[in-house]
Amino acid sequence: MARQSNDTWNLATSVGATATMAAAGRATASRSDGGVVNDPFAEPLVRAVGIDFFSRLASGDLDFADVGTGWLTDFFAVRARYFDDFLTNAWQAGVRQAVNVASGLDSRAYRLGWPAGSILYEIDRPEVIDFKSATLTTLDAVPTTVLRPVMTDLREDWRAALRAAGFDPAQPTAWLLEGLLIGYLPTDAQDHLLNDITELSAPGSRFAADYVLPTSEFGSDMRTVANTWREHGLDVDLSSLFFEGQRTDVANHLQSQGWESHKSRLRELYNDAGIDGAAFDLVYDETAAITYVTATRRHS
């Protein structure tokens, strides 16, 4: 079924299952020898969701290579490392307020060494935040920063909910949008989100996201992956999660709104993480790859 602007989901269905997929990727990457990412919470979170296909990947009973996508282990490793490094750089610049937009099963509030005085706001649907919090509580996990959940849908007034949670727009903010702007929002909603973030960002704020260019074939390429996984038992339809339409180049949009932006391609993430990258799948070649952007809000 095609995406609708008013559709619903949880971590086991529709676009919500992509958060479980990414956590399964981090679990697999955490078992590798490269040491690019270490997420000890990824596997138990995935197993708690209960999608058998992803649970087997997270636990090591199944490998991405067994289902025709062996490149995904390194992909999820370098993507996680990219956003980890973004936060580290923001802390070094003195930023102490961060917002994780559509946080899903992300566990950075628990696995990273946050600086003193830091606050992390996590925005996601109430059922997602409640599930993650309850699961991590059973693991006796303790946040390493002040963690303030913002339980709201991005289609609602998330800005008011964020302010109500204590967010201070006068302070520089590190905005993290991992795996959100790759077609999971309607085109107009994506532009509105970027504009809203700009309005809430004091000078010196930081931004990081991955996104697809207007010419990207990412959606059709992921449908090929979904069809392959379906043959191996995945009963979640990942082939129809992307909204159609011409998309804004996120880096250029931010630049026009008063940000200094820097684009990277996946091969650069591999190089920065010390991974050869020779195992690139054709899905992520130089013409179809996701683009990565970091940006800093200019001082007036």
Side-chain angles (χ1 to χ4, degrees):
M1 180 182 297
R3 293 290 310 280
Q4 303 292 325
S5 60
N6 62 345
D7 56 8
T8 61
W9 64 86
N10 57 40
L11 288 164
T13 62
S14 187
V15 70
T18 64
T20 308
M21 173 185 68
R26 292 194 300 275
T28 301
S30 296
R31 289 195 305 272
S32 66
D33 296 330
V36 175
V37 63
N38 179 28
D39 187 348
F41 305 106
E43 179 184 347
L45 283 167
V46 172
R47 293 176 69 87
V49 173
I51 300 176
D52 182 66
F53 179 81
F54 290 140
S55 293
R56 287 185 290 147
L57 285 169
S59 66
D61 293 337
L62 187 67
D63 192 270
F64 278 111
D66 298 331
V67 293
T69 50
W71 49 273
L72 273 175
T73 296
D74 283 346
F75 166 75
F76 281 117
V78 300
R79 188 179 85 164
R81 168 72 171 270
Y82 176 81
F83 290 108
D84 287 355
D85 289 347
F86 160 74
L87 287 173
T88 298
N89 291 333
W91 301 336
Q92 291 174 347
V95 178
R96 293 294 181 267
Q97 177 174 257
V99 180
N100 191 342
V101 182
S103 55
L105 293 179
D106 182 85
S107 64
R108 288 185 175 91
Y110 299 81
R111 67 176 178 83
L112 296 184
W114 293 77
S118 60
I119 301 174
L120 173 63
Y121 299 89
E122 289 193 341
I123 302 176
D124 215 317
R125 294 163 59 88
E127 56 267 39
V128 172
I129 289 179
D130 284 341
F131 172 86
K132 182 169 67 172
S133 177
T135 303
L136 290 171
T137 296
T138 66
L139 301 173
D140 294 325
V142 178
T144 54
T145 182
V146 174
L147 176 59
R148 295 182 179 173
V150 183
M151 295 188 282
T152 188
D153 194 299
L154 290 177
R155 293 169 294 193
E156 300 171 355
D157 191 354
W158 63 268
R159 295 172 299 174
L162 181 61
R163 287 175 179 268
F167 174 81
D168 183 0
Q171 298 298 318
T173 304
W175 297 91
L176 180 65
L177 286 77
E178 181 178 11
L180 177 62
L181 307 183
I182 57 176
Y184 296 147
L185 296 177
T187 55
D188 58 341
Q190 178 171 304
D191 289 345
H192 284 309
L193 177 62
L194 295 175
N195 293 339
D196 288 343
I197 287 174
T198 295
E199 290 181 5
L200 292 172
S201 295
S205 293
R206 306 295 180 98
F207 176 99
D210 45 348
Y211 69 99
V212 292
L213 292 168
T215 56
S216 173
E217 299 176 2
F218 175 73
S220 61
D221 292 331
M222 281 305 296
R223 292 184 184 98
T224 301
V225 171
N227 291 335
T228 300
W229 286 357
R230 188 176 298 113
E231 295 173 1
H232 291 275
L234 180 64
D235 58 1
V236 177
D237 184 10
L238 299 178
S239 63
S240 59
L241 302 182
F242 306 97
F243 284 99
E244 302 294 336
Q246 192 77 359
R247 299 190 174 277
T248 301
D249 184 311
V250 173
N252 293 348
H253 184 90
L254 292 173
Q255 194 79 23
S256 70
Q257 298 295 314
W259 299 76
E260 293 289 346
S261 61
H262 173 75
K263 298 181 185 180
S264 298
R265 302 303 293 271
L266 185 57
R267 189 171 296 278
E268 296 173 64
L269 273 61
Y270 273 68
N271 291 338
D272 290 343
I275 295 178
D276 180 7
F280 264 29
D281 187 273
L282 291 178
V283 170
Y284 287 100
D285 65 18
E286 290 303 309
T287 61
I290 294 172
T291 297
Y292 301 80
V293 59
T294 57
T296 302
R297 189 84 163 101
R298 290 193 291 263
H299 290 267
S300 57

